[in-house]
Amino acid sequence: MSQQILTKLAGALALVICLASCSTPPPPKDLSQDSIIPLPESLTATGSSYVLTNETVIYTQKGSTDLTPIAKYLAEMLNPATGFDIKWKSVDNAPNKGIYLALEQSGGAGEGYTLDIQEKRITIAGNSPAGVFYGIQTLRQLLPAAIEKSSVQQEAQWLVATGKITDKPTYGYRGAMLDVSRHFFSVADVKRYIDLIAFYKMNRLHLHLSDDQGWRIEIKSWPKLTEIGGKSEVGGGEGGFYTQEQYKDIVKYAQDRYVTIVPEIDMPGHTNAALSAYPELNCDGKATKPYTGIEVGFSTLCTDKEITYQFVDDVIRELAGLTPGEYIHIGGDESHVTAMEDYIPFIERAQQIVTKHGKKSMGWDEIAHAKLEQNTIAQWWSKVENAKMAVEQGAKVLVSPATNAYLDMQYDSTSHLGLHWAGYTEVDDAYQWDAVEIAKGIPAGSIIGIEAPLWTETVTNMDELEYLVFPRLPGLAEIGWTPKQNRNWDTYKVRLGKQKVRFEALEIDYYASKRVPWQ
């Protein structure tokens, strides 16, 4: 072999060795400096970074078919801003590089996960597919905020700080509620809200589907509910409703993001929209006029008529058939013109109907005046005494104190949206409370979680919705996820301030509270 050929071979070998061992190391990055909401259970930083490139592949554990749609979701989240064409595929064993999604075999909390970030590989291992999904939400927050953009960001460098995160939620129920009755919101709006709450690891969306101002879900056996009751809203707008196909589409979209829809049909009060559609549900047999105001407590189903219970049965039957989640919310609040001797048997019979159709009842805390079925949940919003009565009957409680968790309360007296009947709720007020401490006298074991309701008397579109929801919702999500001993306003407000660029990348019309150091 000639000396020239040997020289060329030596040069090629040196190049291979250099490519293998002399490549430029990834830039240093400190995982502990990233803003993650909700705060994870534990975090260890190792000071380097993983570089996301067009060569990155998402791998899923072979046989774990539930991970395939999650891998697709992750790729569809990463590709628009990066301009990459990241693919996904199943493998028998953990790869040496790329992003690897796997299910833990060791048990543990159902929604828990570990996120192990090394220079060559990111591993997201969940105790369930939901856990893997929540690990992805954390990964999103570790990438530059520009990852949320829908167009290619040419100048961005897609680095993720190395280290390990171990995480699991405090409560199994972490919810938000959207009132689509006072003002109607489109399917697209509801889907955007689902995406926003899922980003902060919330897993329930309670849809308030009926009230005095509008009936929002098609019931085929009672078509006038939407033909008449669906055509009004606060202020006299055109209203609207979801067909059953649209509702099923919302349910499926939510399921794909590990959010369960909890539908509410409020009764026996808050029923004017139904009473205007079907006069036989009124005690005097006369249809009421559509209502476009915001007062409460003036309407009631006629609890003495058997047709009322046929109505309730038909509505619950159809709704249960459309809803894979375990709960149907029966309302029960502010039924001021229903005598207690009529209210109690109505609530008891309504629960029986829900049970008959294979679901569990949930209701506002007033339902505790009635005998509660074994699996009924009382949602505490107003009187803790009612919640205690529910617990004394063996029921569990969902915590939604109006003074802290209601997202429709004004931030202060200058807020141009919202109400203040429960007081003003600044960002720190919405964060600095704990479910067990605020629900005095209710054992921790009786609390299933928290929910943040948004009533829409003053909210007409998504920009207005987002202004009231953000930046309070991330803090409420953290209350549901992160243990009390790990929560602190002084450190949280810094993490929240760093979310500013992410809010803007997501085009969230947030309230820039002066109590937050926005960065």
Side-chain angles (χ1 to χ4, degrees), residues 203-280:
N203 64 357
R204 300 289 193 281
L205 179 61
H206 168 182
L207 286 177
H208 185 77
L209 292 169
S210 69
D211 213 298
D212 293 315
Q213 297 86 352
W215 186 282
R216 306 304 183 203
I217 179 68
E218 176 190 22
I219 302 297
K220 293 183 183 297
S221 55
W222 295 73
K224 291 181 183 178
L225 288 171
T226 48
E227 290 173 9
I228 297 174
K231 291 185 176 179
S232 55
E233 65 180 18
V234 168
E238 63 182 13
F241 66 92
Y242 309 116
T243 66
Q244 293 196 358
E245 288 304 311
Q246 288 174 323
Y247 178 80
K248 287 191 286 187
D249 181 39
I250 290 171
V251 167
K252 177 63 168 59
Y253 190 87
Q255 281 183 311
D256 290 343
R257 286 146 184 82
Y258 295 89
V259 172
T260 300
I261 297 297
V262 179
E264 178 186 357
I265 302 298
D266 207 346
M267 50 188 170
H270 288 279
T271 45
N272 191 78
L275 301 175
S276 69
Y278 286 98
E280 58 266 42

Side-chain angles (χ1 to χ4, degrees), residues 18 20 40-41 49 60 77 194 241 313 358 375 431 445 458 467 497 515:
C18 184
E41 182 180 68
S49 60
T60 60
M77 186 271 292
I194 289 167
F241 66 92
D313 192 285
N375 294 316
Y431 180 79
T458 69
Y467 177 86
R515 301 187 185 185

Side-chain angles (χ1 to χ4, degrees), residues 179-356:
D179 168 19
V180 295
S181 295
R182 272 40 178 269
H183 283 101
F184 181 67
F185 285 81
S186 69
V187 171
D189 288 340
V190 175
K191 287 181 175 180
R192 174 164 169 82
Y193 199 42
I194 289 167
D195 282 328
L196 292 175
I197 69 172
F199 180 55
Y200 291 103
K201 303 184 177 73
M202 284 185 157
N203 64 357
R204 300 289 193 281
L205 179 61
H206 168 182
L207 286 177
H208 185 77
L209 292 169
S210 69
D211 213 298
D212 293 315
Q213 297 86 352
W215 186 282
R216 306 304 183 203
I217 179 68
E218 176 190 22
I219 302 297
K220 293 183 183 297
S221 55
W222 295 73
K224 291 181 183 178
L225 288 171
T226 48
E227 290 173 9
I228 297 174
K231 291 185 176 179
S232 55
E233 65 180 18
V234 168
E238 63 182 13
F241 66 92
Y242 309 116
T243 66
Q244 293 196 358
E245 288 304 311
Q246 288 174 323
Y247 178 80
K248 287 191 286 187
D249 181 39
I250 290 171
V251 167
K252 177 63 168 59
Y253 190 87
Q255 281 183 311
D256 290 343
R257 286 146 184 82
Y258 295 89
V259 172
T260 300
I261 297 297
V262 179
E264 178 186 357
I265 302 298
D266 207 346
M267 50 188 170
H270 288 279
T271 45
N272 191 78
L275 301 175
S276 69
Y278 286 98
E280 58 266 42
L281 300 177
N282 289 283
C283 287
D284 64 4
K286 298 178 181 178
T288 61
K289 293 181 179 180
Y291 184 66
T292 60
I294 64 171
E295 296 301 318
V296 300
F298 61 87
S299 62
T300 183
L301 294 170
C302 191
T303 62
D304 291 336
K305 287 185 173 182
E306 196 56 32
I307 189 66
T308 294
Y309 299 98
Q310 184 60 54
F311 163 76
V312 173
D313 192 285
D314 288 338
V315 170
I316 297 301
R317 171 179 52 80
E318 292 194 32
L319 195 54
L322 301 168
T323 305
E326 60 185 326
Y327 294 112
I328 300 289
H329 203 298
I330 59 173
D333 62 319
E334 297 175 322
S335 198
H336 301 323
V337 296
T338 315
M340 189 59 71
E341 58 266 30
D342 298 324
Y343 176 87
I344 289 173
F346 176 87
I347 293 296
E348 291 173 355
R349 194 162 174 185
Q351 290 177 89
Q352 293 167 6
I353 291 169
V354 171
T355 300
K356 182 179 79 170

Side-chain angles (χ1 to χ4, degrees), residues 101-176:
L101 310 182
L103 295 177
E104 297 276 13
Q105 302 300 319
S106 58
E111 295 176 303
Y113 67 92
T114 58
L115 175 57
D116 187 5
I117 306 155
Q118 302 175 13
E119 290 185 354
K120 298 296 183 183
R121 183 184 69 194
I122 294 175
T123 301
I124 303 174
N127 293 319
S128 67
V132 175
F133 180 81
Y134 295 131
I136 286 172
Q137 304 316 309
T138 299
L139 176 62
R140 284 175 68 179
Q141 294 191 40
L142 299 179
L143 283 158
I147 198 68
E148 309 298 344
K149 296 276 191 178
S150 58
S151 58
V152 177
Q153 305 300 296
Q154 300 285 0
E155 304 302 318
Q157 190 176 22
W158 307 107
L159 303 179
V160 183
T162 58
K164 187 171 184 179
I165 291 171
T166 302
D167 204 7
K168 66 178 184 295
T170 297
Y171 292 110
Y173 190 115
R174 306 175 305 281

Side-chain angles (χ1 to χ4, degrees), residues 409-420 423-426 467 511 515:
M409 291 299 103
Q410 291 173 290
Y411 292 99
D412 58 31
S413 61
T414 68
S415 296
H416 65 283
L417 291 170
L419 302 172
H420 59 265
Y424 298 111
T425 307
E426 249 289 1
Y467 177 86
Y511 165 69
R515 301 187 185 185

